[in-house]
Amino acid sequence: MKKIVVNIGGIKIGGDNYVAIQTMCNTSTVDIEKTVQQCIDAANAGADIIRVTTQGIKEVRAMSMIKKNLHSKNIYTPLVADVHYSYKVAQEAAVIADKVRINPGNFAKDDETSYREFKNLIDICKLHGTAIRIGVNHGSLGKRITEKFGNTPIGMSEAAMEWIDMAEEFSFDQIVISLKASNTLVMYDAFKHLYNKMISRGVVYPLHLGVTEAGNGLEGRVKSAVGIASLLQEGIGDTIRVSLTENPVNEIFPAKLISSYSTPREIDSPLPSNYECSTISELAIKVACDYGPLLLKRKIDDFHISATINNSAIQKSDLKNLKDVVLQASRRKFTKPEYIACPGCGRTLFNLEKAFEEVKEKTSHLTGYNIAVMGCIVNGPGEMADADYGYVGEGAGKVSIYRGKERVFMSVPQELAVDKLLELIESDAHNRDGHLHF
Ligand code: SF4
């Protein structure tokens, strides 16, 4: 079997290389000072690769200046351009970035222009030593793939496979694949399907693992740990990102811990029943890495542990809460609303972290509901695939409220948006059942 190694600005991923840690700036890329500072902070925290938003040509030019500025400070952490939509932007970015991320759901393979422009992109990448990430997201698979396979893990895997085929047709192997979903089981199944397919074809490309829209706090860390550890423990995955709706620097410690703690192991390896940790976050990640994969794969139904934090026994209520969070992240028992919150990026034009906290606070009684909080109207609605309701940033200070894929309210002032979201959920419940029963 051939294992492809991809060089991203000097960091090699794939094959027997270590699992590289990634993060993404959430600053506006044209704010060069802020983005440079966030890159420095992330690099100092241990990020191996940093992504920035390049939705247009002006952001690509800003990225060029950010790169120069970082180099002048002796920081050579590879930069990835997050493009999604436009080939023109991707082609410009490929001259500057170490890797370009495109989302195949936004381009039709059978479209002649896309085919030609993808070849042009590859020619530029070959010339400049730039890698490509084929970044498939659950919820933005494109009409053709969805009609054929549904919005399913197989659809995600098949969408990626088409682009692998095309890259191979153009004799280009510097590609990394990601298949991200906010549902840990969908994410696990999609990667597993793709990995098995690559094995059967005899060529394995590096995989970028991550649970997208994982949220924040303990829930975000645990969800990421369950999804990523489930694959790393099977020897699947070459680079990871823990996406949190927080400062990107906060993503590095959990990512490093998940990676170091999730080396390949047998499914029936003995597990610790007592943990001695320094912080609740460390404990949560270790427990999620140990028990999450077994719960997700239905090898166990429950677990019992004890723990000390800094030599003091953990409170019973904290332990119970942690267990509930792990069970929910593993899709086994739902005791709280399921939140789908993107990490935000250069496309976010409002205080996403604050908005998410407000939504969580006011909807904490809605167990059984999937509620999304997304940073932009461009990608948000497509990517909140499983959400019953969504709070989607439209622009500065304006929010759209969604029921599933339907936009019910638009241009709601941000200060009224959470109440509008609640009003919609409550009126739907009332119309459905004639009474409220949260
Ligand atoms: Fe950025 Fe969130 Fe929009 Fe994705 S949904 S592009 S992370 S703001």
Side-chain angles (χ1 to χ4, degrees):
M1 187 183 46
K2 190 172 165 193
K3 290 182 182 174
I4 303 294
V5 173
V6 173
N7 185 342
I8 301 165
I11 300 280
K12 292 189 174 153
I13 62 170
D16 297 326
N17 291 291
Y18 73 95
V19 173
I21 305 300
Q22 307 210 19
T23 187
M24 180 170 180
C25 291
N26 62 8
T27 47
S28 165
T29 308
V30 291
D31 189 335
I32 292 170
E33 199 181 323
K34 271 195 187 157
T35 308
V36 165
Q37 191 54 52
Q38 211 166 64
C39 289
I40 293 172
D41 293 344
N44 288 340
D48 295 304
I49 297 166
I50 301 171
R51 187 158 40 120
V52 296
T53 308
T54 53
Q55 67 270 53
I57 299 295
K58 72 175 189 299
E59 284 79 12
V60 173
R61 292 190 183 130
M63 191 180 66
S64 168
M65 291 164 77
I66 290 161
K67 195 170 184 179
K68 279 191 197 128
N69 197 317
L70 289 170
H71 286 188
S72 75
K73 294 177 170 63
N74 288 326
I75 293 175
Y76 294 95
T77 310
L79 293 184
V80 180
D82 192 67
V83 178
H84 273 267
Y85 289 104
S86 160
Y87 272 118
K88 190 164 166 32
V89 177
Q91 288 162 6
E92 293 256 355
V95 177
I96 294 154
D98 299 293
K99 183 171 70 170
V100 174
R101 182 265 168 111
I102 58 168
N103 181 347
N106 304 129
F107 303 101
K109 184 188 174 246
D110 45 10
D111 173 282
E112 251 181 54
T113 312
S114 287
Y115 188 80
R116 188 184 62 238
E117 294 300 339
F118 187 55
K119 181 173 184 317
N120 290 341
L121 173 63
I122 282 179
D123 288 342
I124 295 168
C125 288
K126 282 181 182 168
L127 195 65
H128 294 273
T130 311
I132 294 178
R133 165 148 75 104
I134 308 290
V136 177
N137 276 11
H138 184 224
S140 60
L141 291 182
K143 193 165 171 278
R144 190 176 49 81
I145 287 283
T146 310
E147 277 173 4
K148 205 164 165 191
F149 300 101
N151 189 17
T152 60
I154 292 178
M156 294 166 73
S157 163
E158 292 295 332
M161 220 52 236
E162 284 192 345
W163 290 73
I164 292 174
D165 286 346
M166 248 202 302
E168 286 181 346
E169 198 181 311
F170 304 138
S171 307
F172 186 73
D173 67 0
Q174 292 298 286
I175 51 173
V176 180
I177 320 292
S178 69
L179 307 174
K180 293 196 180 180
S182 62
N183 177 323
T184 46
L185 193 56
V186 171
M187 173 260 191
Y188 171 78
D189 284 346
F191 274 111
K192 197 70 202 284
H193 188 273
L194 176 65
Y195 183 76
N196 287 339
K197 192 136 192 183
M198 291 195 297
I199 293 274
S200 71
R201 289 165 41 129
V203 184
V204 175
Y205 289 89
L207 296 178
H208 169 136
L209 308 184
V211 177
T212 194
E213 292 112 25
N216 64 2
L218 221 53
E219 283 83 0
R221 285 157 177 77
V222 165
K223 224 187 219 189
S224 296
V226 170
I228 295 170
S230 295
L231 291 153
L232 287 182
Q233 287 169 12
E234 293 186 28
I236 300 172
D238 304 282
T239 179
I240 65 172
R241 177 185 178 201
V242 170
S243 303
L244 296 175
T245 316
E246 296 180 22
N247 186 323
V249 173
N250 297 356
E251 297 180 353
I252 309 301
F253 169 76
K256 284 180 162 236
L257 183 55
I258 293 167
S259 147
S260 62
Y261 198 70
S262 301
T263 46
R265 57 169 87 158
E266 296 299 326
I267 193 93
D268 52 1
S269 301
L271 293 178
S273 57
N274 182 43
Y275 291 80
E276 292 172 9
C277 297
S278 309
T279 62
I280 186 82
S281 174
E282 179 195 344
L283 173 67
I285 290 168
K286 287 184 172 173
V287 173
C289 288
D290 284 331
Y291 290 96
L294 298 176
L295 290 161
L296 192 74
K297 297 170 198 175
R298 298 195 165 261
K299 301 291 177 194
I300 59 171
D301 297 317
D302 202 354
F303 64 99
H304 301 281
I305 55 160
S306 56
T308 56
I309 306 277
N310 284 327
N311 298 321
S312 301
I314 185 174
Q315 301 266 342
K316 261 191 178 169
S317 56
D318 288 343
L319 200 56
K320 183 183 176 308
N321 180 50
L322 170 57
K323 192 173 158 181
D324 284 347
V325 171
V326 173
L327 286 166
Q328 181 149 336
S330 311
R331 319 283 311 165
R332 298 302 300 274
K333 188 179 163 199
F334 293 84
T335 46
K336 293 177 180 172
E338 181 71 0
Y339 292 107
I340 298 164
C342 82
C345 69
R347 296 174 180 90
T348 315
L349 299 173
F350 67 107
N351 189 334
L352 179 65
E353 287 176 46
K354 192 164 163 261
F356 182 38
E357 280 306 326
E358 196 189 345
V359 170
K360 279 190 4 178
E361 196 190 314
K362 293 199 175 167
T363 58
S364 60
H365 56 298
L366 299 176
T367 302
Y369 282 80
N370 287 342
I371 298 173
V373 180
M374 307 298 279
C376 78
I377 200 90
V378 186
N379 294 325
E383 293 186 8
M384 54 185 200
D386 298 326
D388 301 313
Y389 294 93
Y391 173 114
V392 180
E394 231 180 74
K398 295 278 188 262
V399 174
S400 282
I401 305 294
Y402 281 73
R403 177 197 294 117
K405 298 275 176 212
E406 178 199 358
R407 176 149 69 161
V408 182
F409 302 116
M410 61 187 290
S411 300
V412 180
Q414 195 181 349
E415 58 278 13
L416 305 177
V418 182
D419 288 336
K420 209 73 184 158
L421 172 72
L422 266 178
E423 184 189 310
L424 176 65
I425 298 173
E426 287 175 358
S427 99
D428 281 357
H430 195 270
N431 290 341
R432 197 169 49 241
D433 302 338
H435 60 279
L436 298 178
H437 64 121
F438 297 129

